[in-house]
Amino acid sequence: MNLPLSWVARDPAWLDRFVADGLAPELGLDTFAVQELTPDWHRDTARRLAEAGLPCAVHLPFFDLHPGSLNNSVLTASRDTLRRAAELAALYAPRHMVGHAAFDHSQHGGDFDAWLERACGTWAAVLEVCDALVHIENTHERDPEPVAALVDALTGRFGVRAGICFDAGHWHSFARGAQRRDLRRWLDAFAPRLAHLHLHDNDGSDDQHLGLGTGSIPLDDLFGGLIARGLHPTATLEPHDEASFAVSRAWLAARKHYVDVLTPPNAPAAAPGDASTAAPGA
């Protein structure tokens, strides 16, 4: 389950709740957590999670960052921020990290090869700092091909341990999946490297992060598509409030066959509430 570290800093009770409920967090290293929280604060938080026996993942920062920017100054600033975040992420020994591709067709589409080369350089440098599997997530991309091409290049030319994080909510709203109804196309493009999901719901008008089943994302088609392709991605629930989390947890609990999809073969079965349960290196 997602847990922004800025929330923990402002209200430590958030971490207490995760520990008490045995929830494995995907820790959000947002701008505040990277710029304002000290390494000692992060070490203490990592120790608390380790003592509770909770594995974690880390979501790297993304606001105002452009890992493949064609502007040298913007690119340098983005790389510096992501490397700093990776240094902090390493303190948590994450099972994986998540980062945004941040491809913008209106800005980068005219020189895709240059964007791809720069983005690859950024992520290769980040993983020199924290040697963990990285999942590249779709956000505002109109089409799946730039994300797929980035991950293919990272794994092929750079030998980086990378996969794709498919955020169905971003597809449904930002990529106009609600109107295009092209889920199959996205799954086909991502399938060879689809390793992780971000799960929430919306009505197609915006990235609302509703509880599963309360929006219009075709979740049955999503899970059916995973089953048809023999995929077993791990997943993180991304509610933005406790009520939405309860709804999502109940939705999954009523669909054990979907929970089974999110459990990699030969890995221990996940409890319905433990939605961020990646096997080591998965």
Side-chain angles (χ1 to χ4, degrees):
M1 180 178 168
N2 65 307
L3 178 62
L5 285 170
S6 59
W7 291 17
V8 176
R10 292 166 181 151
D11 183 1
W14 279 110
L15 187 60
D16 295 336
R17 294 171 193 168
F18 272 67
V19 170
D21 291 344
L23 295 173
E26 184 175 289
L27 302 168
L29 267 175
D30 53 21
T31 302
F32 179 87
V34 173
Q35 293 183 168
E36 306 297 334
L37 301 178
T38 67
D40 284 342
W41 185 94
H42 287 286
R43 288 190 189 96
D44 288 343
T45 304
R47 176 184 49 79
R48 178 83 186 282
L49 290 169
E51 289 175 349
L54 292 179
C56 68
V58 168
H59 197 308
L60 295 169
F62 53 90
F63 282 129
D64 297 327
L65 300 181
H66 296 275
S69 178
L70 305 180
N71 181 301
N72 291 340
S73 296
V74 173
L75 181 66
T76 297
S78 297
R79 287 180 172 175
D80 288 347
T81 298
L82 287 168
R83 284 179 64 90
R84 165 66 174 162
E87 290 173 354
L88 297 174
L91 300 175
Y92 293 93
R95 288 184 167 183
H96 68 258
M97 298 186 294
V98 175
H100 286 190
F103 175 82
D104 184 334
H105 182 81
S106 64
Q107 298 183 65
H108 309 131
D111 201 345
F112 177 76
D113 289 343
W115 173 87
L116 182 62
E117 194 70 24
R118 287 171 172 239
C120 283
T122 296
W123 291 111
V126 166
L127 295 179
E128 289 177 356
V129 178
C130 182
D131 183 20
L133 179 68
V134 65
H135 299 316
I136 303 297
E137 179 182 354
N138 62 296
T139 44
H140 292 276
E141 288 80 10
R142 301 176 186 174
D143 304 292
E145 286 78 16
V147 177
L150 173 57
V151 173
D152 283 345
L154 284 171
T155 56
R157 290 192 288 128
F158 288 81
V160 168
R161 297 169 60 229
I164 293 174
C165 171
F166 179 45
D167 190 306
H170 294 166
W171 159 76
H172 198 238
S173 56
F174 297 147
R176 300 185 68 246
Q179 291 77 36
R180 292 180 174 181
R181 304 186 181 216
D182 58 351
L183 178 61
R184 179 179 298 178
R185 175 193 170 200
W186 283 70
L187 290 178
D188 285 342
F190 285 175
R193 304 214 183 268
L194 199 161
H196 194 67
L197 299 174
H198 278 173
L199 293 175
H200 47 101
D201 213 335
N202 63 59
D203 65 7
S205 65
D206 200 1
D207 186 31
Q208 297 155 326
H209 286 259
L210 306 175
L212 295 177
T214 62
S216 58
I217 294 177
L219 295 168
D220 291 324
D221 291 343
L222 170 61
F223 280 93
L226 297 175
I227 293 169
R229 291 164 179 79
L231 298 173
H232 289 273
T234 53
T236 299
L237 293 179
E238 282 198 324
H240 278 188
D241 57 67
E242 292 183 79
S244 295
F245 170 58
V247 169
S248 293
R249 194 172 191 175
W251 190 90
L252 281 173
R255 295 163 176 81
K256 185 180 182 303
H257 56 302
Y258 289 167
V259 177
D260 291 341
V261 173
L262 305 179
T263 305
N266 304 317
D274 188 13
S276 181
T277 53

